């Protein structure tokens, strides 16, 4: 790569000054590792991630613009992991640190899919900073040599390129080049060699996009400028066959805290020429906001655009994922933060919303396109242990209709720290599908590293590896244990008791549900059935006399209620019962059991508008109409769920299909309903609530459903699961 002499002198001079003045390095913190490698790499004692932050202007309770465990930061650094099918290993790099101080180490390891073990990490270099923007990326050439690109953040520090001494081997590396680049995205294409997208900062500290190419990683072309609009750009990119595509935004002249609009460029000739999505070759560099690469304009809407990922459908159509918000500052004032995708359909970009669960602009998500219709997102976007700081819990979203609707389930819960930046490996294999780090979002902390399988099994990389062990087992992590219940200690065979609340006039559950309970549950489950009125839900109010006493002796609660406000003492008893972690089973209209569509309850009564989301894990948005009847089938990935044992499928429901997509984080869908035109919605799921209790919900429950053996078995299994009893046989 050819850089002018003045730039290199400036970088090296600044680097020399940093050796003296960087706050991470003191007399009490000696340099242990060199800044570049040439030979056998030293091993580390375990996996540890760097902690880093950027303060935001104005301070306040959310003093960091982004912060936390950022060992896999950022999406502008890619790829950090690559699956190599020739050896069945996923190689990865990350921003590590010393055991006793927060100084950035560039570390490398791999996951062996054949053995299920991790290689002891090796330390490539000490970057002499704690800045996670300097994190490394890697690439693997067609001969199996591993290339590590060590970034700089701006022009103040040098960047490096290293190559492994042997193919598919992390033991020893050679130094190839000392230079300067930021936000490295090196893509090795067998046909062309390296297409190296990266950023260079000009004298005004503007981020400008460049591309360099090399057939062998040693001789590099002069960098070609791709885009230099106003104050610059961020980009993230991905290859597809012999093509490389990149999405980018731009910084208006009003300041770098603003980043807006969305653009796309691609090259199919190894980076020599660049086209927009229609194939039109563009003149470089792009210097105006309104240019042929524009996907969507957000500047006039005063919306910031935060890039997340780009991927491709099997036939090569690009799909971009990004987040919009009203401003750069952390905190609720810039909500809603909306995660979106926009997909090229061959004629137009089609934008769709995924979720509004993000509470920080730098909450991250990786996009997986596994078939034409089955898409997946792994995101650090769930409820955050440190709210409104970067990251949260890890949530897996899945779509069976090419991103039109999404279902969500948590991969982590009750974490101590925010989980951050789940990154997709290039050519991701099922056993190592994403990796990330955690860390306290509100103050400096330790940081651990994790990965997940495609099925959602989460593992932590060990903090400490015993001496003499080169390959180590990852530590199972996943969801925290459920809250124990007093009823769990009851002897086997002792009956569980359910309180059943019924108050709806549309679906005949005052008749069908008691009949089911009497005929199907058997002697191990007894019930107290409290019937409200059969009046239409427009009357708004109802009462269940005796519910307070019934709940005191109950192990669980079944609800088939439609839009009823209750007396305060009854609602308080129901809320207290649920908050204690007791099981809840919801049937059909339970999704709007206590909702009055946001209107005030009549005097002397109380509604519960958030019951659907808080207790059932749902997102009820009315239905498609009674003239559209869904066919009920198993949802992808749920066929082996024990709750579906004995459930005969398919059947055509007698009732309308409830709209619940996208589900919020947490529910685990079991069944879906599909209309004749292909529209689908989840119709049954389980949900582990934040209070530790179990919820089973189904939006089915029309009288004709109660004539289906599969539905009766589903209800039996759901009730047994909620009560922690063996599934119905």
């Amino acid at each position: 790569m050819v850089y002018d002499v003045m730039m290199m002198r400036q970088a090296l001079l600044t680097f020399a000054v940093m050796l003296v003045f960087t706050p991470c390095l003191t007399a009490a913190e000696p340099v242990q590792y060199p800044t570049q490698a040439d030979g056998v790499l030293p091993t580390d004692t375990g996996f540890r991630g760097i902690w880093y932050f950027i303060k935001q202007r104005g301070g306040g309770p959310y003093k960091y613009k982004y912060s936390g465990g950022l060992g896999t930061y950022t999406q502008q650094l890619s790829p950090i992991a690559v699956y190599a099918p020739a050896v069945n290993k996923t190689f990865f790099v990350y921003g590590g640190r010393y055991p006793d101080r927060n100084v950035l180490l560039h570390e490398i390891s791999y996951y062996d899919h054949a053995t299920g073990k991790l290689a002891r990490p090796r330390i490539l270099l000490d970057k002499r900073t704690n800045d996670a923007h300097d994190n490394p990326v890697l690439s693997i050439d067609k001969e199996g040599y591993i290339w590590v690109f060590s970034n700089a953040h701006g022009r103040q520090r040098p960047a490096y390129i290293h190559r492994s001494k042997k193919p598919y081997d992390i033991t020893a590396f050679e130094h190839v080049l000392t230079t300067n680049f930021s936000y490295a995205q090196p893509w090795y294409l067998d046909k062309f060699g390296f297409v190296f997208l990266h950023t260079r900062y000009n004298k005004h500290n503007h981020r400008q996009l460049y591309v360099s190419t090399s057939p062998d990683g040693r001789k590099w072309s002069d960098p070609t400028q791709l885009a230099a609009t106003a104050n610059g750009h961020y980009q993230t990119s991905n290859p597809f066959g012999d093509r490389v595509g990149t999405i980018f935004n731009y910084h208006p002249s009003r300041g770098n805290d603003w980043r807006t609009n969305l653009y796309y460029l691609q090259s199919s000739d190894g980076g020599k020429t660049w086209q927009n999505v229609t194939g039109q070759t563009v003149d470089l560099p792009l210097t105006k906001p309104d240019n042929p690469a524009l996907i969507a304009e957000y500047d006039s809407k005063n919306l910031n655009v935060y890039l997340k990922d780009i991927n491709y459908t099997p036939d090569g159509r690009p799909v971009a994922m990004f987040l919009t918000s009203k401003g750069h500052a952390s905190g609720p004032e810039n909500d809603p933060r909306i995660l979106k995708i926009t997909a090229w359909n061959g004629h137009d970009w089609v934008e769709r919303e995924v979720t509004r669960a993000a509470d920080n602009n730098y909450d991250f998500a990786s996009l997986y396109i596994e078939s034409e219709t089955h898409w997946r997102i792994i995101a650090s976007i769930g409820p955050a242990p440190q709210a409104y700081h970067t990251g949260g819990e890890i949530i897996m979203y899945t779509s069976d209709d090419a991103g039109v609707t999404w279902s969500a389930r948590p991969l982590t819960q009750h974490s101590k720290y925010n989980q951050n930046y789940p990154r997709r490996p290039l050519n991701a294999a099922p056993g190592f599908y994403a990796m990330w780090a955690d860390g306290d979002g509100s103050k400096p902390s330790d940081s651990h590293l994790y990965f997940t399988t495609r099925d959602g099994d989460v593992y932590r990389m060990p903090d400490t590896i015993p001496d003499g062990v080169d390959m180590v087992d990852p530590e199972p992590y996943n969801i925290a244990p459920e809250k124990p219940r007093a009823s769990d200690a009851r002897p086997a065979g002792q009956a569980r008791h359910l309180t059943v609340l019924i108050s709806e006039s549309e679906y005949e559950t005052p008749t069908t549900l008691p009949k089911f309970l009497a005929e199907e549950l058997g002697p191990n489950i007894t019930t107290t059935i409290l019937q409200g009125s059969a009046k239409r839900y427009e009357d708004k109010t109802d009462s269940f006399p005796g519910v307070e006493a019934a709940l005191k002796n109950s192990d669980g609660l079944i609800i088939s209620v439609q839009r009823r406000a209750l007396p305060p003492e009854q609602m308080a008893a129901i809320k207290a019962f649920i908050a204690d972690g007791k099981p809840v089973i919801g049937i059909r209209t339970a999704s709007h059991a206590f909702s009055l569509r946001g209107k005030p309850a009549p005097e002397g009564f109380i509604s519960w508008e958030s019951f659907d989301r808080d207790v059932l894990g749902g997102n009820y948005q009315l239905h498609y109409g009674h003239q559209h009847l869904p066919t009920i089938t198993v949802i992808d990935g749920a066929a082996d769920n024990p709750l579906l044992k004995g459930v005969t499928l398919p059947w055509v429901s007698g009732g309308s299909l409830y709209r619940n997509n996208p589900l919020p984080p947490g529910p685990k869908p079991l069944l879906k309903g599909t209309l004749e035109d292909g529209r689908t919605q989840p119709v049954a799921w389980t949900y582990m609530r934040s209070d530790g209790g179990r919820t089973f919900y189904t939006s089915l429950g029309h009288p004709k459903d109660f004539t289906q053996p599969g539905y009766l078995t589903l209800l039996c299994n759901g009730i047994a699961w909620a009560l922690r009893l063996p599934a119905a046989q």
Side-chain angles (χ1 to χ4, degrees), residues 27-202:
E29 298 174 340
V31 173
Q32 187 170 338
Y33 304 108
T35 59
Q36 59 190 47
D38 197 0
V40 175
L41 302 185
T43 58
D44 205 344
T45 58
F47 293 90
R48 298 172 301 275
I50 193 76
W51 192 95
Y52 182 65
F53 72 94
I54 287 288
K55 286 186 177 180
Q56 67 181 18
R57 285 180 250 169
Y62 312 106
K63 57 186 176 181
Y64 299 131
K65 188 161 67 171
Y66 50 92
S67 58
L70 297 182
T72 59
Y73 175 83
T74 169
Q75 71 274 8
Q76 287 95 239
L77 305 179
S78 190
I80 67 167
V82 178
Y83 173 65
V87 290
N88 198 22
K89 296 175 180 177
T90 296
F91 295 88
F92 60 91
V93 292
Y94 62 95
R97 54 163 288 170
Y98 288 91
D100 57 348
R101 58 193 187 275
N102 195 49
V103 176
L104 179 63
L105 302 177
H106 285 190
E107 306 205 32
I108 184 168
S109 179
Y110 63 82
Y111 175 77
D112 188 333
H113 292 262
T115 65
K117 294 180 180 291
L118 293 159
R120 178 188 288 271
R122 290 181 177 267
I123 299 167
L124 182 72
L125 55 85
D126 180 330
K127 203 57 172 64
R128 305 297 201 268
T129 182
N130 65 359
D131 189 343
H133 293 87
D134 283 31
N135 280 348
V137 299
L138 87 163
S139 189
I140 300 178
D141 66 25
K142 62 183 177 183
E143 296 178 346
Y145 288 97
I146 303 167
W147 296 76
V148 178
F149 293 69
S150 297
N151 286 275
H153 187 199
R155 303 194 299 170
Q156 294 183 335
R157 292 182 291 273
Y160 308 99
I161 300 176
H162 291 83
R163 191 192 81 150
S164 64
K165 294 275 192 177
K166 297 179 181 179
Y168 304 116
D169 185 78
I170 66 171
T171 305
F173 278 74
E174 63 170 314
H175 170 256
V176 175
L177 187 65
T178 297
T179 180
N180 180 264
F181 53 75
S182 301
Y183 301 119
Q185 298 170 39
W187 304 108
Y188 186 86
L189 309 178
D190 287 352
K191 184 176 179 179
F192 300 108
F194 288 98
V195 177
F196 181 35
L197 294 166
H198 62 283
T199 298
R200 296 174 68 188
Y201 285 70
N202 69 8

Side-chain angles (χ1 to χ4, degrees), residues 238-542:
N238 199 32
F240 179 82
D242 293 329
R243 185 201 322 167
V244 172
T246 180
I247 55 172
F248 51 101
N249 53 20
Y250 95 103
H251 300 293
S253 56
R254 58 183 178 270
N256 287 357
D257 278 337
W258 282 97
R259 65 284 311 269
T260 190
N261 291 1
L262 187 64
Y263 302 89
Y264 174 80
L265 282 177
Q266 62 187 21
S267 174
S268 298
D269 58 6
K272 295 178 182 177
T273 62
W274 291 81
Q275 293 78 37
N276 66 9
V277 73
T278 67
Q280 175 190 350
T281 298
V282 300
D283 294 327
L284 300 177
L286 300 173
T287 58
K288 296 180 179 180
D290 187 9
N291 64 62
L294 183 66
I295 296 176
E297 191 273 333
Y298 293 97
D299 198 1
S300 65
K301 303 172 185 176
N302 292 318
L303 287 176
N304 268 7
V305 172
Y306 295 84
L307 309 175
K308 302 306 173 187
D309 202 0
I310 175 178
N311 213 326
Y312 293 87
T313 61
D315 60 355
R317 289 176 285 112
V319 182
M321 185 165 61
F322 58 102
L323 180 147
T324 60
S325 78
K326 294 185 291 186
H328 73 277
S330 299
E333 67 270 16
N334 283 321
D335 286 342
R337 294 171 166 91
I338 307 174
L339 185 67
K340 303 176 180 180
I341 58 170
T342 184
W344 177 251
N345 66 8
H347 304 283
D348 300 291
W349 290 97
V350 180
E351 181 179 307
R352 291 189 171 93
E353 180 177 325
V354 177
T355 181
R356 299 190 176 202
D359 67 358
N360 185 279
N361 294 330
Y362 297 87
D363 289 354
F364 186 71
S366 287
L367 175 64
Y368 304 75
I369 299 180
E370 298 164 356
S371 72
E372 189 67 32
T373 57
H374 191 69
W375 299 5
R376 191 184 309 264
I377 292 171
I378 299 177
S380 53
I381 211 167
Q386 290 85 49
Y388 287 101
H389 293 85
T390 311
E393 300 289 3
I394 300 295
I395 307 297
M396 180 181 286
Y397 294 85
T398 53
S399 172
D400 292 317
D401 51 16
V404 178
T405 59
W406 295 88
S407 299
R409 69 180 178 101
L411 302 191
T412 65
Q413 284 185 339
H414 313 299
S415 298
K416 178 181 179 181
Y417 297 147
N418 285 5
Q419 313 280 347
N420 273 330
Y421 280 89
R423 302 295 303 280
R424 170 177 55 83
L426 181 63
N427 308 320
F432 193 100
Y433 220 52
M435 65 174 291
W436 67 88
D438 72 357
D440 194 314
S442 62
K443 60 182 181 295
S445 72
D446 54 344
S447 175
H448 314 282
L449 290 158
Y450 302 81
F451 71 92
T452 182
T453 67
R454 186 173 61 189
D455 292 336
D457 297 325
V458 176
Y459 296 88
R460 192 164 95 174
M461 304 185 195
D463 301 336
T464 303
I465 300 174
D467 291 342
V469 176
D470 293 327
M471 301 297 296
V472 62
D473 290 317
E475 302 166 354
Y477 184 76
N478 265 40
I479 296 172
E482 299 175 35
K483 182 178 177 181
R485 308 282 166 244
S487 60
D488 294 345
R490 289 184 179 179
Q494 183 172 336
R496 305 299 201 267
H497 190 76
L498 295 172
T499 293
V500 184
L501 304 182
I502 305 175
S503 181
E504 65 86 18
S505 60
E506 194 169 358
Y507 298 108
E508 302 180 19
T509 54
T511 301
T512 57
L513 186 53
K515 182 176 184 292
F516 160 80
L517 296 171
E519 295 179 357
E520 301 292 339
L521 288 189
N524 286 333
I525 300 177
T526 60
T527 60
T528 295
I529 300 175
L530 301 177
Q531 296 259 17
S533 69
K535 60 188 177 183
R536 289 286 295 174
Y537 57 78
E538 287 87 350
D539 291 340
K540 298 182 180 179
T541 63
D542 213 332

Side-chain angles (χ1 to χ4, degrees), residues 710-723:
Y711 182 66
L712 301 181
T713 302
L714 175 71
L715 285 185
C716 288
N717 290 354
I719 292 169
W721 175 84
L723 292 171

